[in-house]
Amino acid sequence: MTAPGRRRRSLVALAAAVLCLAGPVWPAAAQPSFRPPGVPPAVDMSAVPSPASINAMPYLVNNPATRQIGPVEQQAPCQPQGTSGGQDLAGEPPAQQQLRIRQAHRYATGRGQRVAVIDSGVQPHPRLLGRMIDGGDYIEGRTGLADCDGHGTAVAGLIAAAPDAGSQFVGTAPAAQILAIRQASTFYSVPLRRLDTGEQTRSPMAGDTVSMARAVMRAVQLGATVINISEAACFPAEPDQVNAPDLQAAVHYAVEHNAVVVVAAANTSGSCKQNSPGKVTTISSPGWFDADVLTVAATDGNGEPADFSLHGPWVDVAAPGTDVVSLAAGRSRLTSGLVNSHGQLRPLDGTSFAVPYVAGLAALVRERFPHLSARQVMHRIEQTAQHGTGPRRRSEDVGYGLIDPVAALTAVIPEEGRPQQGGAAAAASPAQLSGFQPQSRDSTLPRTVALVGSAAAFVLLGLTLLVVQVVKRHQRHGPG
């Protein structure tokens, strides 16, 4: 074979190789339904809880895999809370020192802010006196101002406990109001019958993502400017996954109606297995709805990621989550532990107790910068966090890093612009759910796929034309 012939064959083979290598990319890019594990779907606002369901209490289980066959039942008597666990409850807690909470109070105390605590209820306490609002009870239909677990009371204390002469402990936003919504409890369960086998069983606790979604909407309805969710549900990660679309719609509705939603990253457990770096095998809900929530990881006493804190690309910031001190339920004292439904004493450790530091900080930021939207508040907290590895970046264990309340209240964020006239009034206006018409959120994925696909097609066309021109040139002029 002559040299020109060999060249032509080589160029044609090169063109074919380019097309073959690029070809498989086009079908993959043209599939708008494909999402890798851990990437949430576009928000489906048709799934938002209805006004009627939001105000229906007690909540009845509605799960496609089970069927409720009876009312909620208390599976263990409430336990008296309040223990030191060997800690000095009179001194300033290490986490409070680390975050410089008292210095932050020079700039704001959370006045004028209403923080919803969606949890096990909040027991009235002298250090929350005059600032508690009953948001309702999805467990028994009674009151949000009751707490069998002590969990919600501890969370509320970390957010808003007033200072007291008897100790150095104080809440992050000690002037904020607490809107208590009782949504989950490990002291209660629900009798269920599986639809597939007919087997009768019991839920491990009362509360799920359906009642959580309703509670989020109720918090917005009742004027919350910040929503604290110290709970999480874990699911195995799968491609094209859809979990709790009603909860996703609810948190999107909340942030669009100017409420900052702060949620737990989750604690590792048998059903909540740790994710490997760069690989998502477990999702945490509502944390993975990262576009609309501020997801909080926990750090230990050394400021390092706590070993129980679930990692993931949705983690935004971190806060102390070990050796915590807060308010005790049913007693006018402090506690460093909780007695569970089995009578076991457990320390206040977990991402549950990291979340209220961030929710409290959000209340401080909202007071000091009333012109900021909910999303701008989230951005400010992220951008002023302190990442321990040097250059600012986001990691899967602590996100942008440990929160810095003083920096969040004093830093200049150029992209925020100047304060807007009347911003404070707009931020304080509660959203009314009666008669609202939710609007669908357009997905940008098909448009992105179209743009990428068009660009790829132009590149391939250009390469093909180039190869053809080179072949023709060699045909005309022969060997050089």
Side-chain angles (χ1 to χ4, degrees):
M1 181 181 293
T2 64
R6 286 196 297 272
R7 286 196 186 93
R8 283 195 297 273
R9 292 195 61 178
S10 298
L11 291 170
V12 171
L14 174 62
V18 169
L19 292 172
C20 288
L21 287 173
V25 176
W26 172 253
Q31 294 176 7
S33 65
F34 176 78
R35 286 180 290 107
V39 176
V43 180
D44 177 10
M45 290 307 291
S46 67
V48 73
S50 68
S53 69
I54 294 164
N55 297 300
M57 300 181 188
Y59 159 75
L60 299 179
V61 171
N62 180 19
N63 186 307
T66 57
R67 181 174 58 197
Q68 185 170 348
I69 57 176
V72 65
E73 296 178 6
Q74 189 166 353
Q75 55 184 349
C78 299
Q79 297 290 329
Q81 306 292 342
T83 176
S84 69
Q87 287 185 250
D88 175 19
L89 301 185
E92 186 174 17
Q96 187 176 302
Q97 294 181 41
Q98 184 181 27
L99 297 179
R100 298 185 294 165
I101 296 297
R102 289 189 177 273
Q103 290 93 317
H105 292 164
R106 298 173 186 172
Y107 306 98
T109 57
R111 191 171 304 280
Q113 304 307 308
R114 180 172 295 182
V115 183
V117 175
I118 298 175
D119 212 286
S120 60
V122 180
Q123 197 77 23
H125 194 283
R127 296 177 71 169
L128 297 172
L129 189 64
R131 293 179 292 119
M132 295 185 65
I133 302 168
D134 183 1
D137 175 13
Y138 286 96
I139 298 175
E140 295 181 289
R142 296 181 181 178
T143 175
L145 302 181
D147 184 10
C148 204
D149 303 61
H151 191 276
T153 304
V155 167
L158 291 168
I159 295 171
D164 182 81
S167 76
Q168 292 296 304
F169 167 76
V170 66
T172 307
Q177 294 180 325
I178 292 293
L179 172 64
I181 300 178
R182 190 171 181 236
Q183 178 263 328
S185 175
T186 59
F187 282 73
Y188 291 79
S189 67
V190 174
L192 304 169
R193 175 172 290 130
R194 293 184 60 86
L195 292 179
D196 51 355
T197 65
E199 177 188 3
Q200 183 172 334
T201 183
R202 300 197 66 85
S203 65
M205 61 181 291
D208 58 17
T209 58
V210 176
S211 59
M212 186 184 290
R214 297 180 182 186
V216 169
M217 297 293 287
R218 184 167 177 81
V220 179
Q221 182 185 50
L222 297 178
T225 56
V226 181
I227 299 173
N228 186 109
I229 303 178
S230 288
E231 306 173 50
C234 288
F235 303 92
E238 300 173 355
D240 293 327
Q241 189 161 17
V242 177
N243 278 104
D246 52 348
L247 180 56
Q248 183 182 18
V251 297
H252 179 73
Y253 182 88
V255 74
E256 289 296 309
H257 286 74
N258 211 24
V260 179
V261 184
V262 189
V263 307
N267 304 330
T268 55
S269 65
S271 61
C272 197
K273 300 184 184 301
Q274 186 63 276
N275 289 311
S276 302
K279 184 179 181 181
V280 177
T281 54
T282 300
I283 65 167
S284 171
S285 186
W288 77 314
F289 305 134
D290 187 46
D292 296 317
V293 300
L294 200 56
T295 304
V296 184
T299 56
D300 61 20
N302 297 317
E304 299 295 326
D307 57 5
F308 54 76
S309 186
L310 184 71
H311 303 169
W314 47 78
V315 173
D316 294 304
V317 291
T322 60
D323 300 321
V324 174
V325 172
S326 192
L327 304 183
R331 299 183 182 183
S332 58
R333 63 175 69 172
L334 301 178
T335 186
S336 62
L338 294 176
V339 179
N340 65 20
S341 58
H342 302 290
Q344 300 167 322
L345 176 64
R346 298 292 174 85
L348 297 183
D349 291 350
T351 57
S352 288
F353 305 111
V355 175
Y357 286 114
V358 183
L361 175 55
L364 299 183
V365 173
R366 303 220 77 167
E367 177 196 355
R368 183 161 172 80
F369 304 102
H371 65 285
L372 296 183
S373 68
R375 295 190 188 280
Q376 288 176 312
V377 171
M378 294 162 64
H379 180 71
R380 172 170 277 270
I381 291 173
E382 291 172 344
Q383 293 305 303
T384 55
Q386 301 299 315
H387 205 296
T389 57
R392 183 166 303 283
R393 64 179 182 84
R394 184 178 181 179
S395 64
E396 294 186 355
D397 51 4
V398 294
Y400 291 98
L402 185 70
I403 58 167
D404 187 335
V406 173
L409 295 172
T410 58
V412 175
I413 309 292
E415 57 266 35
E416 287 179 355
R418 294 185 177 182
Q420 303 168 359
Q421 294 298 321
S429 178
Q432 300 298 320
L433 294 184
S434 179
F436 74 93
Q437 294 295 326
Q439 297 184 8
S440 297
R441 181 185 183 187
D442 292 336
S443 172
T444 60
L445 183 58
R447 182 166 60 251
T448 302
V449 169
L451 291 173
V452 172
S454 298
F458 279 118
V459 170
L460 291 175
L461 179 60
L463 287 172
T464 303
L465 290 174
L466 177 62
V467 171
V468 169
Q469 290 300 321
V470 173
V471 171
K472 288 181 177 179
R473 189 181 303 117
H474 278 278
Q475 288 175 335
R476 287 196 303 266
H477 301 294

